[in-house]
Amino acid sequence: WGIRADVHVTNYDGNIIDAACIGVMAGLLHFRRPDIEVKEGQVTVFGLDERVPVPLTITHRPLAITFHIFHEGRVMIVDATRKEELASEGHLIIALNTTGETCALYKSAGNPVSAIEVVNKTALALQKIKEINAVIDKALQADLSKRAKRDRGAEAAAENDR
C-alpha cells in the first residue's frame, strides 16, 4: 500500500509543524484500509461488502514539539502564536515517539542552545507528546464508540474472521 498525507493550511496562527504532525498522525490512526489475504502467492483484496476494513499497523507515533527561543536563548516557549514566532530569535524542533526515541531534531539560526538545554527540552517534549497522544487516543475511542452505536460494531472493532 502507498499512503500519502497532504496538509492544507486554512488558518494559520503559529505552530504549524506541531499541528500538522498531530493532524497527520490522527488521520493515519483513524484510517482503515481494505483487508487482504495472501494464499499460495495470490493476493486477494476484499471489498467493503466482504470484509471490514482494518487499521494500519503503526509501531511508532512520532510528533513534533517546537520551542521558540527568546532573550539570547534564556527563554523558550512552546506553542507560539504567529506574532511570537515572528519575534523569536529562532526555534528548536524536537520530534519523539511515545517511547522517547528521538525521530528528528532541528535548530534554526540564532543563538546556540546548550546540550543540557536540549536534554531538558527533550524531557519536556516527551511529556507534551504523551499528553497529545492521550488526547488523540481519547478522540479515536470516542469515534469508535459512535460507530458502534450506529450498528457498525464490526467496523469499530475492525477484526475479521480468519
Side-chain angles (χ1 to χ4, degrees):
W1 300 102
I3 298 175
R4 178 177 134 176
D6 293 327
V7 176
H8 297 273
V9 179
T10 58
N11 189 358
Y12 176 68
D13 188 28
N15 207 24
I16 192 67
I17 293 181
D18 301 7
C21 286
I22 292 167
V24 168
M25 186 53 60
L28 290 172
L29 291 167
H30 188 265
F31 179 76
R32 300 291 187 262
R33 66 161 177 81
D35 197 12
I36 63 166
E37 183 177 81
V38 180
K39 279 189 181 175
E40 299 173 7
Q42 293 287 74
V43 178
T44 304
V45 179
F46 294 98
L48 297 177
D49 55 332
E50 298 173 296
R51 284 199 183 168
V52 176
V54 295
L56 298 174
T57 302
I58 298 177
T59 56
H60 292 278
R61 294 172 59 171
L63 293 176
I65 301 295
T66 303
F67 297 89
H68 279 83
I69 303 165
F70 297 88
H71 301 294
E72 298 177 351
R74 292 188 305 272
V75 175
M76 288 189 182
I77 65 168
V78 177
D79 197 17
T81 65
R82 184 169 183 269
K83 287 182 180 180
E84 290 168 333
E85 283 182 359
L86 293 172
S88 74
E89 298 165 358
H91 60 271
L92 172 67
I93 301 172
I94 302 172
L96 306 168
N97 63 21
T98 53
T99 62
E101 295 172 317
T102 303
C103 301
L105 183 66
Y106 174 76
K107 164 68 175 75
S108 70
N111 290 325
V113 176
S114 71
I116 295 297
E117 196 63 29
V118 171
V119 170
N120 291 339
K121 295 307 180 208
T122 300
L124 178 58
L126 180 58
Q127 176 187 340
K128 295 294 179 191
I129 285 168
K130 287 181 178 181
E131 291 171 11
I132 293 167
N133 272 309
V135 171
I136 291 171
D137 289 342
K138 186 176 178 181
L140 292 172
Q141 281 303 112
D143 180 67
L144 286 175
S145 296
K146 285 181 186 177
R147 288 183 194 190
K149 288 179 184 174
R150 292 188 307 230
D151 285 336
R152 295 172 77 181
E155 181 182 342
E159 294 178 9
N160 294 302
D161 296 329
R162 300 202 188 249

